[in-house]
Amino acid sequence: MKITLISCGAKKAEVRTSAKNLYQGALFKYSLEYAGKIMSNKIYILSAKHHLLPLNKYIDPYDMTLRDFDKRRRIEWGQIVLNALHNVANFERDEFVALAGEKYLEEIRGNIPNLLEPLRGKTIGKRLQFLKNKLGR
């Protein structure tokens, strides 16, 4: 099974909605579209507030980012995400694709085998360019 992890985004809808519709930024939208194109079986959002967030879960807008967390709090966040992933994935068999920023991956990447990071080391502009190219735009 292929599981894609996408970073949440700062730009959000102003009303309660499904997670896939809450995040309004271009990077999130292109990442979500790309995840569909690479035929992920499951797609989750890495959220500072909600940890591992299914696309169809309804949530309220919020203002929180991992950049605001100290190291200890990011480690705790990462442990919660890993525990949640263990409930929905098989770490031995599944392939993971991370379309997320460094802060969202630094505390979990070493614990996820079969992790692909096509955006790793790219600036936001280069991430957008990569995704647009993969989507034929």
Side-chain angles (χ1 to χ4, degrees), residues 2-135:
K2 186 179 287 186
I3 298 170
T4 301
L5 306 172
I6 302 173
S7 293
C8 62
K11 186 175 179 185
K12 297 175 185 72
E14 296 180 8
V15 296
R16 180 180 182 83
T17 188
S18 64
K20 69 180 176 186
N21 293 318
L22 181 71
Y23 305 100
Q24 299 291 305
L27 185 58
F28 176 82
K29 288 183 176 189
Y30 285 129
S31 295
L32 185 59
E33 186 177 347
Y34 178 65
K37 184 176 181 176
I38 61 172
M39 301 189 18
S40 284
N41 302 94
K42 294 182 181 179
I43 302 169
Y44 293 97
I45 300 165
L46 297 174
S47 162
K49 181 173 183 174
H50 299 283
H51 306 93
L52 188 68
L53 186 57
L55 295 179
N56 60 355
K57 183 171 182 180
Y58 273 70
I59 58 172
D60 292 313
Y62 64 93
D63 186 21
M64 184 183 292
T65 177
L66 286 184
R67 287 186 298 263
D68 298 333
F69 290 16
D70 62 20
K71 180 70 171 174
R72 180 191 57 75
R73 194 164 171 206
R74 283 194 311 274
I75 290 170
E76 290 171 359
W77 176 90
Q79 230 13 85
I80 294 168
V81 168
L82 287 168
N83 290 340
L85 272 175
H86 275 288
N87 290 328
V88 297
N90 182 317
F91 276 44
E92 300 302 317
R93 291 192 312 250
D94 293 339
E95 178 182 289
F96 296 85
V97 179
L99 304 175
E102 180 61 26
K103 290 289 183 207
Y104 287 83
L105 295 173
E106 68 184 352
E107 302 305 333
I108 64 173
R109 77 164 43 98
N111 296 291
I112 302 175
N114 309 316
L115 179 65
L116 304 173
E117 295 182 63
L119 304 180
R120 187 171 186 176
K122 292 176 172 58
T123 63
I124 290 177
K126 294 289 184 186
R127 290 176 191 184
L128 283 169
Q129 182 180 25
F130 172 89
L131 293 166
K132 286 180 183 179
N133 287 341
K134 292 293 184 181
L135 294 167

